[in-house]
Amino acid sequence: MINIAVLGYGTVGSGVVEVINTNHKSINKRAGAEINVKYVLDLRDFPGDPVEKVLVHDYEIIANDPEVDIVVEVMGGIEPAYTFVKRALESGKSVCTSNKALVAKHGPELMEIASAKNINFLFEASCGGGIPIIRALNSSLTADEIDEITGILNGTTNYMMYKMATEGSEFDAVLKEAQQKGYAEADPTADVEGYDACRKIAILSSLAYGRFLNYEDIYTEGITKITPEDMEYAEELGMTIKLLGTSRKIGDDSFYAMVAPFLVGQTSPLYSVNDVFNAVFVHGNVLGDAMFYGSGAGKLPTASAVVADVVDEAKHLHRNIMTNWSSRPLKLMTMDEVEGRFFVRVKGTTVEQVETVFDNVQIVNLKNLPGEFGFITECMKQGTYEEKVHKLNGNVITMIRVKD
Ligand code: HSE
């Protein structure tokens, strides 16, 4: 029997218990042992819930119980999660977590402790909900030099963008719906400002490129400025708007990473990733393109990934599963140097002025928005774009990057 302790009985924690109860036969078979939920830790009481039998309020009970083999951290946030996880690893208990904030901030240290103790610190559910992308990067794409990861990494914002694009819904109303469906973070600012996607692209990039990408170094822009008019322009262009987390290796040793809304065209596989779904596009030098798609948020998809880690840890109780992530920092190029095409909405200027400054542009007009127009530039460095756009006499209403 393998005893686990679940820290936190919120959306994901209750999902973990539900998944283990629902699929216990196949889970035990795959793990090669019976997985027993010995404790659930939460500050709250849950009168009438069967979890009452294993509910504890004091972490010391779990930390001091040598029968606990695996600690499942699904509390979220940095503290007390970090202290609890570190203590569990130091006392020889493997840990799995869905906590992207914890992995993005303390991942290298926690992985080093696990490696030194010959146990595991796994975090499949921290990126892409139920999509097995971490395991794919760790175990499957090992023949490749990965040079791009681009993902729709936040279910809440993808749901919101989809509803705004297809139903013309208002920002606040769709955010409320996403919260009611259990997709959003406790504080949805982390979703709509891109902070959640930022931590996820930091984790995926660190695994893909084998160095630690500090999330604080990543340029991050959310979706709060996206308007129904921007969506109308996107539709007119045969495109849509998605919040993407993206990182690329340019040449031998240059990298960029960012989180921002992008105009995505119909030839991109990310164009059709709608609703709460997430997708992670990966390009490898020998593989070419691959895309991983699935449920990116919500109780059971996330719990499915957490329990998969429990099974993996049960199968490797005293053997560390290697990762390609080192604590050597990954340094990013400045945003000025990053190349791309830019969609710009302007007023108080003319097409002739825009063409004088930018040369070749694709112009787009909307009949219902007289007095302004949009254009898409050719590919150029962001620094060059900024120099040019300053030369326009008119006002820039908005700029959205184009995903190529
Ligand atoms: N709030 C997150 C999302 C949950 O919407 O994707 C899953 O990480």
Side-chain angles (χ1 to χ4, degrees):
M1 180 188 286
I2 292 187
N3 288 306
I4 74 167
V6 180
L7 313 186
Y9 197 62
T11 305
V12 182
S14 58
V16 167
V17 174
E18 187 178 332
V19 167
I20 289 174
N21 288 337
T22 307
N23 291 341
H24 64 277
K25 271 196 191 141
S26 58
I27 287 169
N28 293 346
K29 196 170 161 207
R30 286 174 169 135
E34 188 191 335
I35 304 291
N36 176 47
V37 180
K38 186 164 184 188
Y39 301 111
V40 170
L41 176 80
D42 204 289
L43 289 174
R44 299 162 292 178
D45 286 310
F46 298 94
D49 188 316
V51 83
E52 270 193 309
K53 285 192 229 111
V54 292
L55 189 69
V56 293
H57 300 303
D58 182 3
Y59 181 62
E60 291 306 309
I61 297 170
I62 294 167
N64 295 324
D65 184 343
E67 287 186 352
V68 173
D69 304 294
I70 297 169
V71 168
V72 177
E73 187 281 304
V74 282
M75 310 164 75
I78 299 294
E79 282 298 352
Y82 169 64
T83 304
F84 290 177
V85 166
K86 192 171 172 182
R87 196 148 161 227
L89 291 169
E90 282 172 341
S91 63
K93 301 179 195 310
S94 282
V95 173
C96 55
T97 183
S98 58
N99 188 337
K100 51 248 158 181
L102 178 70
V103 180
K105 194 169 168 69
H106 294 293
E109 182 197 2
L110 298 171
M111 272 181 269
E112 273 167 25
I113 300 171
S115 166
K117 294 270 177 191
N118 224 7
I119 51 173
N120 289 293
F121 174 65
L122 301 182
F123 42 90
E124 181 62 71
S126 65
C127 298
I131 308 171
I133 179 63
I134 303 276
R135 202 158 274 108
L137 288 173
N138 262 340
S139 319
S140 307
L141 300 176
T142 47
D144 268 77
E145 291 289 329
I146 292 170
D147 52 32
E148 178 180 354
I149 301 190
T150 299
I152 293 175
L153 299 171
N154 182 271
T156 302
T157 47
N158 204 43
Y159 180 83
M160 293 175 68
M161 292 285 88
Y162 177 62
K163 292 280 171 177
M164 284 173 73
T166 56
E167 295 174 12
S169 312
E170 291 294 330
F171 188 94
D172 289 341
V174 279
L175 174 58
K176 213 170 183 176
E177 276 178 42
Q179 285 177 294
Q180 281 162 356
K181 287 174 184 272
Y183 304 152
E185 296 301 297
D187 175 1
T189 313
D191 297 296
V192 296
E193 294 291 0
Y195 308 148
D196 177 77
C198 168
R199 280 153 182 82
K200 291 170 178 168
I201 194 67
I203 295 169
L204 295 174
S205 305
S206 298
L207 283 169
Y209 308 128
R211 297 203 229 156
F212 176 52
L213 174 53
N214 186 340
Y215 70 91
E216 287 168 318
D217 294 343
I218 299 175
Y219 173 82
T220 300
E221 188 183 315
I223 59 160
T224 51
K225 294 192 194 112
I226 301 296
T227 63
E229 290 77 22
D230 297 331
M231 287 293 183
E232 281 181 55
Y233 274 105
E235 193 180 352
E236 182 68 23
L237 287 160
M239 302 170 103
T240 191
I241 302 172
K242 303 279 189 195
L243 182 71
L244 301 182
T246 183
S247 71
R248 285 185 83 166
K249 184 178 180 191
I250 312 280
D252 277 349
D253 203 31
S254 283
F255 298 86
Y256 75 75
M258 74 173 104
V259 172
F262 278 81
L263 275 162
V264 177
Q266 291 174 19
T267 52
S268 166
L270 294 165
Y271 176 88
S272 314
V273 177
N274 292 323
D275 215 286
V276 71
F277 286 100
N278 280 195
V280 185
F281 169 89
V282 179
H283 185 269
N285 66 339
V286 284
L287 165 79
D289 295 345
M291 195 165 90
F292 301 81
Y293 170 88
S295 303
K299 175 175 166 165
L300 293 179
T302 310
S304 160
V306 174
V307 177
D309 278 350
V310 171
V311 170
D312 220 1
E313 290 185 344
K315 282 162 55 182
H316 299 91
L317 256 196
H318 301 291
R319 188 154 65 87
N320 182 251
I321 302 165
M322 291 283 292
T323 66
N324 180 37
W325 182 337
S326 82
S327 44
R328 192 173 142 222
L330 189 148
K331 207 167 160 347
L332 297 175
M333 54 208 263
T334 65
M335 286 298 288
D336 276 1
E337 295 172 281
V338 177
E339 288 189 358
R341 291 190 299 146
F342 301 88
F343 164 73
V344 194
R345 273 174 67 194
V346 282
K347 62 180 180 189
T349 186
T350 62
V351 170
E352 289 70 30
Q353 278 172 325
V354 165
E355 285 174 340
T356 305
V357 174
F358 280 95
D359 290 332
N360 283 332
V361 286
Q362 179 186 354
I363 301 287
V364 52
N365 282 292
L366 290 182
K367 282 198 185 79
N368 58 327
L369 293 175
E372 67 160 271
F373 61 95
F375 64 93
I376 295 182
T377 70
E378 290 193 309
C379 186
M380 62 185 69
K381 288 190 174 169
Q382 184 165 318
T384 309
Y385 159 76
E386 271 157 17
E387 276 168 27
K388 285 181 184 283
V389 90
H390 265 104
K391 291 188 194 155
L392 287 181
N393 296 329
N395 296 315
V396 172
I397 302 168
T398 194
M399 180 279 276
I400 303 172
R401 292 170 180 82
V402 178
K403 171 67 189 144
D404 284 311

